[in-house]
Amino acid sequence: MKQFLRLLTLILSVTTADLIWAQQDPATSSQAPADNTKTNQRDRNPNEPTADQQKENGSDRALAQQVRRALVKDQSLSTYAHNIKVIAQDGVVTLKGPVHSDQEKQAIEAKAAEAAGGADRIKSEIDVANK
């Protein structure tokens, strides 16, 4: 019984701490809250490719993997660039997400084009932040 009460007390204290943290006012935080409303609305469009539409055939999975490896391997790219969404469908690679500069955008597109076999096999929806 004592072990049960200790466990229950631990669970309640962790839950209480989580609730307090979740209820903190973002206005008092040092960071502005993220606003991805426009991006989220775009990605809800059924005509827009999303990660859950990634094909499971071997060639598309391999293509997406090649692009992802090339991006992660390039240490000159920012974390934003490393986290670009890569979606391969029927040999065409869609790139989505924010990057810090036009140079990063161009570098990502070039790496994807090299893996896909040409710039005509790339659909870039990369946004340059701070533009």
Side-chain angles (χ1 to χ4, degrees):
M1 185 68 170
K2 285 183 181 181
Q3 289 178 342
F4 174 75
L5 290 175
R6 285 183 195 159
L7 181 59
L8 184 59
T9 303
L10 178 63
I11 291 170
L12 289 173
S13 65
V14 170
T15 304
T16 303
D18 287 343
L19 287 173
I20 291 170
W21 178 82
Q23 291 175 352
Q24 289 179 348
D25 183 11
T28 62
S29 173
S30 62
Q31 293 182 338
D35 184 7
N36 295 329
T37 306
K38 289 179 185 175
T39 302
N40 292 338
Q41 287 172 346
R42 176 196 69 194
D43 289 344
R44 282 190 197 108
N45 180 342
N47 298 326
E48 289 288 330
T50 56
D52 64 331
Q53 296 171 345
Q54 168 71 48
K55 299 291 184 179
E56 290 300 319
N57 64 52
S59 60
D60 280 340
R61 283 191 0 221
L63 177 56
Q65 191 175 43
Q66 272 185 300
V67 173
R68 172 68 49 214
R69 281 187 179 152
L71 297 179
V72 172
K73 191 176 179 180
D74 187 343
Q75 295 300 311
S76 70
L77 297 175
S78 69
T79 302
Y80 275 58
H82 286 162
N83 288 319
I84 286 294
K85 292 176 187 76
V86 178
I87 306 156
Q89 294 178 302
D90 302 320
V92 176
V93 176
T94 301
L95 305 167
K96 290 184 173 191
V99 295
H100 289 301
S101 67
D102 285 321
Q103 291 81 12
E104 278 191 326
K105 179 180 178 182
Q106 291 167 1
I108 292 167
E109 292 168 348
K111 289 177 187 310
E114 183 179 333
D120 61 325
R121 309 292 297 162
I122 303 300
K123 182 179 177 191
S124 179
E125 296 181 11
I126 297 174
D127 301 315
V128 178
N130 302 328
K131 217 178 178 185

